[in-house]
Amino acid sequence: MEIGCPTNVRHVAHVTFDRFNGFLGLPVEFEPEISRRPPSASTRVFGVSTESMQLSFDTRGNCVPTILLMMQRRLYSQGGLQYEGIFRINPENGQEEYAREQLNNGLIPDDIDVHCLAGLIKAWFRELPRGILDSLTQEQVMQAQSEDDCTRLVTLLPQTESSLLDWAVNLMADVAQMEHLNKMNSRNIAMVFAPNMTQMSDPMTALMYAVQVMNFLKTLIVKTLKGREDSIVESAPSMQLEPSDEEEEEASVANEIKTNATESKTNNEETHGFVSCIENILSSDGKGVVGVDSGSGITQSRNGRSKSGRRNDSNYGKKGSRKYSQVNGVAEKNKEIGINSFVNSRAERLEAWR
């Protein structure tokens, strides 16, 4: 018997599946055979698989249930990490039951206690249908002794379990960073989380295995804290004990400027001293040399006599007065030439002074 092509085809209903509301648009005749509302975050958040829950991404890119992120944000906003014994002190049963009902409705009570929030986070992991570390054998966990072994073991987990473990380890690292307030170091927080990461029926085996899981979690927490410290050191400005090349260059330029300024100051002082001497020598107070008459070879000296032996007299006459004026003009001109020569060349100035 051959099956031919379908004929008389018509569109009866359009059915879609929503992970929170089940099948939408399902015909009535199919409802007894197909469940309309599967377990989902809209009805229950504890004891169900993550595949039927609403998922969101955290700051590290892990895809985890939205309800976990909601509880984490509330725990942090209420300063829960600063409470002593956080995740170790058990909340009151009555308050936890009420909070569970509210969480199933997608709400977190406003007056919820931080210890109740911490206990519900642990309960969420504990009540999973399958523990996030159940895909690993006990031998694999027991043989993981170093950071490299534990890191390699994490890569063997499925994507969903790996994301949940990374989220939980970073949460525990946040708690351990506040050890000075909450008294929960890496070992303590790993100890309270370890029993919630696996599902074992035998209590004795579960207890012994929990010790290995605790060491595994502790190693991952310590590794995470080290990574955070390294990232802080790398992002912070480096403290240099010795100046950099740029600083050395700036210091060299500054020293050179300082040296030049000192030399300039010395030169200015020498110039000022030399000019003062010239001015004193060329002063016209009658005690020093007043001028030189290059044409006649007559020069005034301290004793008031010229080198030619003639005495300078105020009644020398008009001719003598004209010569005296010429002598003064030549002296002023020689004074300017001597000062300019000194400024232009230090060596010439010193030689001229000698």
Side-chain angles (χ1 to χ4, degrees):
M1 179 179 178
E2 295 181 0
I3 300 178
C5 296
T7 59
N8 195 19
V9 177
R10 58 192 179 92
H11 185 270
V12 176
H14 179 73
V15 181
T16 58
F17 178 78
D18 182 81
R19 70 168 59 183
F20 306 111
N21 299 311
F23 291 97
L24 303 178
L26 190 68
V28 179
E29 57 268 20
F30 291 104
E31 288 184 0
E33 300 178 6
I34 301 177
S35 175
R36 174 179 287 274
R37 296 174 63 83
S40 63
S42 60
T43 58
R44 198 155 49 114
V45 297
F46 294 92
V48 296
S49 174
T50 56
E51 297 177 355
S52 61
M53 299 185 66
Q54 182 180 4
L55 305 178
S56 300
F57 289 97
D58 65 357
T59 56
R60 291 171 297 276
N62 296 315
C63 188
V64 296
T66 305
I67 193 63
L68 286 180
L69 299 180
M70 292 173 57
M71 290 190 289
Q72 181 186 27
R73 284 193 294 266
R74 176 61 68 85
L75 179 66
Y76 287 14
S77 64
Q78 294 187 195
L81 300 186
Q82 302 177 10
Y83 279 71
E84 183 175 350
I86 192 66
F87 286 102
R88 179 176 56 82
I89 298 178
N90 294 323
E92 298 179 359
N93 292 332
Q95 187 178 15
E96 183 175 348
E97 291 298 326
Y98 172 72
R100 280 175 177 263
E101 295 178 0
Q102 295 297 312
L103 288 172
N104 287 331
N105 297 326
L107 301 174
I108 299 179
D110 294 333
D111 57 346
I112 189 171
D113 182 63
V114 292
H115 294 292
C116 181
L117 272 174
L120 289 173
I121 292 175
K122 291 191 301 180
W124 188 92
F125 283 96
R126 181 173 60 251
E127 297 177 12
L128 283 173
R130 178 180 173 86
I132 64 174
L133 297 181
D134 286 353
S135 59
L136 302 176
T137 63
Q138 297 185 30
E139 290 76 13
Q140 288 177 318
V141 177
M142 293 176 63
Q143 293 174 1
Q145 301 296 329
S146 63
E147 289 186 0
D148 293 337
D149 294 339
C150 294
T151 302
R152 179 184 57 81
L153 207 59
V154 172
T155 60
L156 302 179
L157 292 172
Q159 182 61 42
T160 301
E161 283 75 7
S162 177
S163 297
L164 288 172
L165 178 62
D166 185 74
W167 180 87
V169 168
N170 279 275
L171 171 64
M172 289 183 275
D174 292 341
V175 175
Q177 279 188 318
M178 306 294 290
E179 175 188 356
H180 59 288
L181 296 175
N182 55 38
K183 312 300 181 185
M184 297 292 290
N185 56 23
S186 300
R187 183 179 182 277
N188 293 339
I189 190 64
M191 182 185 300
V192 297
F193 262 88
N196 304 295
M197 298 297 176
T198 59
Q199 300 288 344
M200 288 191 175
S201 56
D202 186 6
M204 291 301 298
T205 304
L207 181 61
M208 296 176 61
Y209 185 49
V211 176
Q212 303 300 327
V213 174
M214 178 193 71
N215 295 330
F216 173 70
L217 294 177
K218 177 186 174 182
T219 303
L220 294 178
I221 295 170
V222 173
K223 180 178 180 294
T224 301
L225 293 175
K226 288 181 179 179
R228 293 180 180 181
E229 293 176 358
D230 294 340
S231 63
I232 292 175
V233 171
E234 291 176 359
S235 61
S238 58
M239 301 297 293
Q240 298 180 353
L241 298 179
E242 298 181 357
S244 61
D245 295 340
E246 187 173 319
E247 292 174 348
E248 291 178 355
E249 183 177 356
E250 293 177 356
S252 177
V253 172
N255 291 332
E256 183 177 355
I257 294 174
K258 184 178 180 181
T259 303
N260 293 338
T262 303
E263 293 180 355
S264 177
K265 181 179 180 181
T266 303
N267 294 339
N268 291 335
E269 290 177 353
E270 293 177 356
T271 303
H272 180 71
F274 183 78
V275 172
S276 299
C277 293
I278 296 296
E279 291 177 349
N280 291 332
I281 293 173
L282 299 177
S283 62
S284 59
D285 57 357
K287 297 180 180 180
V289 177
V290 175
V292 178
D293 188 351
S294 58
S296 61
I298 299 175
T299 306
Q300 288 187 342
S301 61
R302 292 180 182 273
N303 54 13
R305 292 180 177 270
S306 65
K307 290 185 178 181
S308 62
R310 294 183 179 179
R311 181 175 182 82
N312 296 324
D313 196 303
S314 58
N315 298 322
Y316 189 69
K318 295 181 179 180
K319 186 176 181 180
S321 299
R322 286 197 298 270
K323 288 185 177 180
Y324 186 79
S325 300
Q326 291 177 357
V327 168
N328 285 337
V330 173
E332 292 297 331
K333 184 176 181 180
N334 289 339
K335 174 182 175 181
E336 294 176 0
I337 294 174
I339 294 174
N340 292 332
S341 300
F342 174 80
V343 173
N344 293 332
S345 173
R346 181 183 178 184
E348 293 178 2
R349 292 199 302 272
L350 295 177
E351 188 66 23
W353 176 246
R354 292 196 183 103

